[in-house]
Amino acid sequence: AQRVTQPEKLLSVFKGAPVELKCNYSYSGSPELFWYVQYSRQRLQLLLRHISRESIKGFTADLNKGETSFHLKKPFAQEEDSAMYYCALTGTASKLTFGTGTRLQVTL
Amino acid sequence: ETGVTQSPTHLIKTRGQQVTLRCSSQSGHNTVSWYQQALGQGPQFIFQYYREEENGRGNFPPRFSGLQFPNYSSELNVNALELDDSALYLCASNSHSGRETQYFGPGTRLLVL
């Protein structure tokens, strides 16, 4: 069975502070990991996926197979980063398994 | 490039009724997946269609059914609606079955009274 755990429902940080959104997963094979973001009144959209190894909007995520984690990080939070963030994985089939999401709130 | 569209945006039904939700996939995409997102939860996979055939199903009862048409648009049908079916229903499309990035529509919010 595949499972994604996001332990924090809400993460509140000050503007300019570092951000780390936690994601742990359970999957017996070799998963593909994603971070999706949903800004207020917008649709769910892909932020990044681990195989592309890109940095999008200053965010990065490293797949740690030993710890089965895929934490999302950004060195300096911006107000426009406030949103709902979902970690997701896909295995051999293309269905996505999502975590319950973490709301990031960036305050001045 | 046209993104994923869904209709209607929201609707209200009563318990026991049937509902049909529609999705138009992004241009060039032949795979459509449906997800249910209950309040405060992440999206849950319902099923996927690839080239008009069901290509995987999540843990949902048979009263959740779907179709994909030759133009790759799709329908989600739910029979005998229950109160717990109240949720946001998301459609996502991608270019082919596999691990390609899925692009999501805005969702249809269903309320069952």
Side-chain angles (χ1 to χ4, degrees):
Chain A
Q2 46 194 74
R3 177 185 290 241
V4 175
T5 303
Q6 294 181 252
E8 302 142 327
K9 281 193 178 297
L10 173 67
L11 181 65
S12 187
V13 301
F14 288 109
K15 180 181 174 180
V19 174
E20 183 178 48
L21 300 171
K22 295 190 186 325
C23 171
N24 288 90
Y25 68 90
S26 172
Y27 183 71
S28 56
S30 185
E32 175 80 34
L33 274 296
F34 304 80
W35 277 98
Y36 278 82
V37 61
Q38 188 166 30
Y39 300 102
S40 181
R41 301 185 187 283
Q42 293 187 28
R43 67 184 65 191
L44 200 58
Q45 58 186 279
L46 179 70
L47 180 62
L48 56 79
R49 56 190 295 182
H50 91 269
I51 61 163
S52 64
R53 305 187 71 80
E54 291 177 305
S55 171
I56 308 294
K57 299 187 178 184
F59 284 98
T60 58
D62 288 321
L63 180 60
N64 185 323
K65 292 186 177 180
E67 296 182 358
T68 60
S69 68
F70 188 57
H71 302 329
L72 183 68
K73 299 178 183 180
K74 185 170 182 178
F76 308 105
Q78 303 298 316
E79 282 182 83
E80 56 266 29
D81 297 329
S82 294
M84 195 74 186
Y85 290 80
Y86 293 97
C87 182
L89 76 77
T90 186
T92 53
S94 60
K95 75 167 190 175
L96 285 166
T97 297
F98 286 87
T100 51
T102 298
R103 179 167 299 283
L104 175 64
Q105 195 170 68
V106 181
T107 55
L108 296 174
Chain B
E1 188 177 84
T2 307
V4 178
T5 60
Q6 291 185 243
S7 63
T9 55
H10 56 274
L11 72 166
I12 300 173
K13 292 285 187 178
T14 55
R15 205 167 35 174
Q17 284 188 309
Q18 178 266 342
V19 69
T20 298
L21 310 182
R22 295 178 174 83
C23 170
S24 289
S25 60
Q26 185 164 312
S27 174
H29 288 179
N30 58 13
T31 302
V32 173
S33 303
W34 285 92
Y35 294 83
Q36 181 195 65
Q37 187 174 19
L39 204 59
Q41 301 295 316
Q44 279 203 293
F45 176 74
I46 303 175
F47 45 56
Q48 181 182 87
Y49 279 82
Y50 170 58
R51 293 186 174 178
E52 303 177 59
E53 297 285 331
E54 188 177 286
N55 182 46
R57 188 178 182 93
N59 190 25
F60 280 82
R63 59 189 185 84
F64 285 78
S65 63
L67 281 175
Q68 188 180 30
F69 300 100
N71 67 354
Y72 304 126
S73 65
S74 177
E75 285 182 356
L76 164 65
N77 299 288
V78 187
N79 294 321
L81 282 167
E82 300 177 0
L83 298 180
D84 284 349
D85 296 333
S86 295
L88 181 68
Y89 288 86
L90 298 169
C91 168
S93 72
N94 55 277
S95 58
H96 59 77
S97 182
R99 294 186 174 192
E100 299 301 313
T101 297
Q102 295 186 21
Y103 295 87
F104 283 81
T108 293
R109 187 163 297 283
L110 172 64
L111 177 61
V112 182
L113 300 176

